[in-house]
Amino acid sequence: MRERKRGVQELREREQRKGHVIIFGIPECEEYNAEDRIASDESFINALLSEALEIQVPHDKVIRLGKKEDSRTRPVRTTFHSMEDHALVFKPPKKLKDHNEGPFANISISPDLTPLERQDRMNLKAKRNQRQAKIRCERSTSKMGDKKRKDREHKEKWRTQKRQSKLKPQEKG
């Protein structure tokens, strides 16, 4: 029964987060007034969308997540009007990566995931990394095996040639 409740709660939370996007790396405004900080974040997001991603989509609510600390920059969550607008943000990911300098250099965008979804993604990434490491290991050992085999063949060929060269003078005599 509890599992079923958790499943329903997870589905509700996913539905609630569906139109949200988390943006990491937006510098925090030092203004004391919360309205000024929000306005600063909104203008940065508008510039990010129009200049870096080259899209024009309306968005609602801009919220900094977490408690303000001097040691880190808090992520920003924003909500889009429609799922089509939400999807447009993730269409041109390479455009954001092209900005190595300037105000958009360290910005990354992610969908707003539930804790369970984040854990599932981490597990999938770990499995993928293990598979890739195994493949790299197999490739390097097969290459090493190929090299050893070629070395062995080369040595055998050299020995055969040496034996033949020793036999040839005796045949002439």
Side-chain angles (χ1 to χ4, degrees), residues 8-18 114-115:
V8 170
Q9 189 177 16
E10 177 70 19
L11 289 175
R12 282 187 189 144
E13 194 171 352
R14 285 182 186 189
E15 186 65 30
Q16 192 177 30
R17 293 173 182 239
K18 204 160 56 171
T114 66

Side-chain angles (χ1 to χ4, degrees), residues 41-63:
D41 290 341
E42 284 179 348
S43 68
F44 190 94
I45 290 171
N46 288 333
L48 173 72
L49 294 173
S50 63
E51 294 172 27
L53 299 180
E54 300 172 359
I55 56 174
Q56 298 294 328
V57 290
H59 60 91
D60 288 336
K61 298 181 191 172
V62 173
I63 300 170

Side-chain angles (χ1 to χ4, degrees), residues 4 11 45-46 60 67 69 74 86 88-89 102 106 110 112 118 121 152 158 168:
R4 191 172 180 186
L11 289 175
I45 290 171
N46 288 333
D60 288 336
K67 190 175 181 180
E69 296 176 16
R74 297 176 294 165
H86 180 271
L88 281 175
V89 173
N106 297 318
S110 155
D112 188 10
R118 286 194 297 268
R121 274 199 180 183
R152 231 181 290 123
W158 180 78
K168 284 183 183 178

Side-chain angles (χ1 to χ4, degrees), residues 1-2 6 23 28 33 36 39 54 57 76 86 95 105 107-108 122 129 137 145 161-162:
M1 187 69 162
R2 287 184 183 180
R6 282 189 207 144
I23 306 171
E28 294 220 29
N33 187 354
D36 293 339
E54 300 172 359
V57 290
V76 176
H86 180 271
K95 287 185 180 179
I107 303 297
S108 63
M122 284 185 355
N129 292 342
C137 181
Q161 287 174 348
K162 193 172 180 182

Side-chain angles (χ1 to χ4, degrees), residues 24-27 44 47-48 51-52 96 99-107:
F24 298 90
I26 296 178
F44 190 94
L48 173 72
E51 294 172 27
L96 191 57
H99 290 275
N100 296 333
E101 298 175 359
F104 310 122
N106 297 318
I107 303 297

